[in-house]
Amino acid sequence: MKLEEIANVSIGILVHRESVENGKYKYKIFNLNNYEENKEYQTIETDKDFSDKMTQKGDLLFRLVAPNKIILVKEKEKDLLVPSQLCIIRPDENKINSRFLKWYLESQQGKAQIATEQIGSSIQKISIAALKKKEILQKDINKQEKIKDLIEVWENEKKVMQDIIETKEMIYENIIEQLVEEEK
């Protein structure tokens, strides 16, 4: 089944073109750097209503330029205006689970499909039209739920492991510092 048959796929807005002083509408803009660094999002004012370009919980934000990146919109990322470097993939919940779709698009098979449609020699990107036509692995919605649950368990395990590594690094660093100080 094609992506456009199971999800609404649309491009974000050209922020610099739509920004005005003292606009009728005020929006916080999604920014990949702010997202990754957990920083506050910038705001713009505009005279246009872009409520259809705002993030909703369960949306996927797809970076069109390589390396492609996919963000699953959770509660804290909702109600942000999406810029044109990203497209919004809004899955039909009756047909496909957001986490399953994210997993599939990031899988080797999904990446290979996307790579075949990327254009450009130095900066590779995929068009919205090509993305909409991508074939998506179709699984029963109950099977998708099981896969989603497994993905969530694995993500939680990775987070716990990362926390353990960070804690151990601090412990060992403190021990080494104490041993160095003892020698002085």
Side-chain angles (χ1 to χ4, degrees):
M1 194 170 276
K2 294 185 182 345
L3 181 59
E4 66 186 350
E5 296 172 328
I6 56 173
N8 180 10
V9 182
S10 63
I11 189 82
I13 69 150
L14 281 168
V15 174
H16 69 277
R17 185 181 294 170
E18 302 297 343
S19 182
V20 297
E21 277 189 44
N22 302 316
K24 185 176 176 182
Y25 300 95
K26 191 173 185 175
Y27 298 105
K28 286 187 176 185
I29 307 165
F30 180 86
N31 178 298
L32 201 50
N33 291 336
N34 293 44
Y35 168 78
E36 289 173 344
E37 297 171 13
N38 206 16
K39 292 183 178 177
E40 187 65 29
Y41 295 99
Q42 294 179 335
T43 60
I44 68 156
E45 292 185 32
T46 180
D47 288 329
K48 294 182 183 175
D49 179 7
F50 287 113
S51 54
D52 62 326
K53 301 293 183 182
M54 302 290 286
T55 55
Q56 295 178 14
K57 188 177 177 185
D59 284 354
L60 299 179
L61 300 181
F62 185 93
R63 183 175 174 211
L64 297 167
V65 177
N68 302 113
K69 186 160 185 103
I70 304 169
I71 285 93
L72 174 64
V73 175
K74 298 178 184 158
E75 190 67 32
K76 70 179 189 172
E77 296 92 25
K78 73 178 198 171
D79 299 324
L80 298 171
L81 186 60
V82 178
S84 60
Q85 304 92 319
L86 303 166
C87 76
I88 306 163
I89 301 174
R90 191 161 288 150
D92 179 341
E93 293 175 3
N94 296 317
K95 296 179 180 177
I96 195 154
N97 177 286
S98 295
R99 280 195 184 262
F100 174 79
L101 180 56
K102 180 181 186 300
W103 167 81
Y104 178 74
L105 291 171
E106 292 176 334
S107 71
Q108 292 302 322
Q109 184 178 359
K111 286 179 183 178
Q113 277 195 36
I114 291 167
T116 63
E117 296 295 332
Q118 288 185 321
I119 56 173
S121 54
S122 60
I123 299 176
Q124 294 200 327
K125 63 185 248 178
I126 186 168
S127 71
I128 291 287
L131 188 61
K132 286 180 178 183
K133 301 293 182 201
K134 289 284 105 206
E135 285 292 326
I136 303 298
L137 178 68
Q138 201 56 29
K139 289 286 179 193
D140 174 70
I141 200 77
N142 293 326
K143 178 85 104 182
Q144 290 179 38
E145 277 296 313
K146 289 177 184 175
I147 292 169
K148 174 201 75 114
D149 292 343
L150 185 59
I151 292 166
E152 287 176 351
V153 167
W154 174 232
E155 287 175 352
N156 288 337
E157 283 181 8
K158 286 193 293 190
K159 184 175 180 345
V160 168
M161 288 177 189
Q162 186 61 39
D163 290 346
I164 289 170
I165 289 169
E166 289 172 7
T167 302
K168 287 199 169 244
E169 283 178 346
M170 286 177 24
I171 290 169
Y172 284 108
E173 188 65 34
N174 285 335
I175 291 170
I176 291 168
E177 284 179 14
Q178 287 175 2
L179 288 171
V180 168
E181 287 298 315
E182 285 177 5
E183 293 296 316
K184 288 185 177 178

